[in-house]
Structure formats: C-alpha cells, structure tokens
C-alpha cells in the first residue's frame, strides 16, 4: 500500500515522521523536509532501527527551501518498529512529507 504522511514540525523538538507498524516492512521512496520560514534554520534527521543512524547531520536550510531524500532508485528499506525522526532548531518552522510503500511481512 503506497501512502504519504505529512507533519508540521514544532521548533526546537524532535518529531517522529513515520514508524513502520507491527507486521509490516516499508520501502521509503521519498522524504522531503521544508523550511517554511523567512529565515535560515537548522534541522537533522535520523533513521532508528534499534540504533540511531544519521540520515542528515545538523544542517542549515535556507529560508523557504527544501531538501529531498531517497528515491525509487535509492530507497530506504525499513523493518517493523523502525522509525524516521526530524529534529528542528528552536523558533523554526518546518514541514516534512514521507512517501512509503507498506508490505505485510508475509508478502
């Protein structure tokens, strides 16, 4: 099942963008992180599969711009319980969107 998830990220906090549900694995086709403010702000992103794997170390993102991670040619495969989270700078305003394909573990 293909689905997209969108979140408004609170400044100065860590938000879980997507968690693979029990009994499933997921192929992440795209994650887009958007700075919605008129100022440059920093963010970071991790994939947690039991340990935190840095996808993007703390990085400044220009005002009203975005970055895209993964693709159909370079997906991220996640297992049950894995999650992606994004941490944003205080006073910032970010959005994030993930597009994933979910599969039952027996498929």
């Amino acid at each position: 099942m293909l689905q997209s998830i969108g979140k408004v990220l609170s400044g100065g906090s860590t938000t879980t963008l997507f968690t693979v549900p029990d009994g499933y694995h997921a192929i992440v086709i795209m994650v887009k992180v958007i700075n919605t403010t008129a100022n440059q702000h920093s963010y970071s992103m991790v994939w947690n599969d039991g340990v935190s794997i840095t996808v993007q170390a703390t990085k400044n993102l220009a005002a009203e711009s975005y970055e895209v991670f993964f693709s159909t040619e370079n997906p991220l495969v996640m297992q049950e319980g894995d999650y992606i989270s994004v941490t944003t700078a205080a006073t910032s305003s970010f959005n994030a969107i993930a597009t994933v394909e979910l599969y039952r573990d027996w498929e």
Side-chain angles (χ1 to χ4, degrees):
M1 169 178 32
L2 186 65
Q3 65 177 344
S4 292
I5 302 101
K7 297 268 178 107
V8 175
L9 310 177
S10 299
S13 67
T14 299
T15 303
T16 299
L17 178 58
F18 173 72
T19 302
V20 180
D22 291 344
Y24 287 84
H25 61 279
I27 297 175
V28 180
I29 297 168
M30 185 269 310
V31 173
K32 185 176 188 176
V33 179
I34 307 114
N35 178 358
T36 61
T37 66
N39 298 306
Q40 174 177 287
H41 286 287
S42 65
Y43 77 98
S44 61
M45 182 169 50
V46 299
W47 161 40
N48 192 302
D49 68 345
V51 296
S52 289
I53 308 297
T54 300
V55 175
Q56 175 61 64
T58 301
K59 179 181 181 179
N60 286 325
L61 189 57
E64 300 174 348
S65 64
Y66 64 88
E67 289 191 322
V68 177
F69 300 87
F70 313 116
S71 67
T72 53
E73 292 82 22
N74 297 293
L76 173 67
V77 179
M78 298 172 65
Q79 305 301 319
E80 173 182 285
D82 290 5
Y83 62 90
I84 294 173
S85 60
V86 181
T87 302
T88 57
T91 73
S92 67
S93 180
F94 281 84
N95 291 338
I97 301 166
T99 299
V100 301
E101 183 84 37
L102 281 175
Y103 296 93
R104 290 197 181 277
D105 282 340
W106 48 267
E107 291 181 20

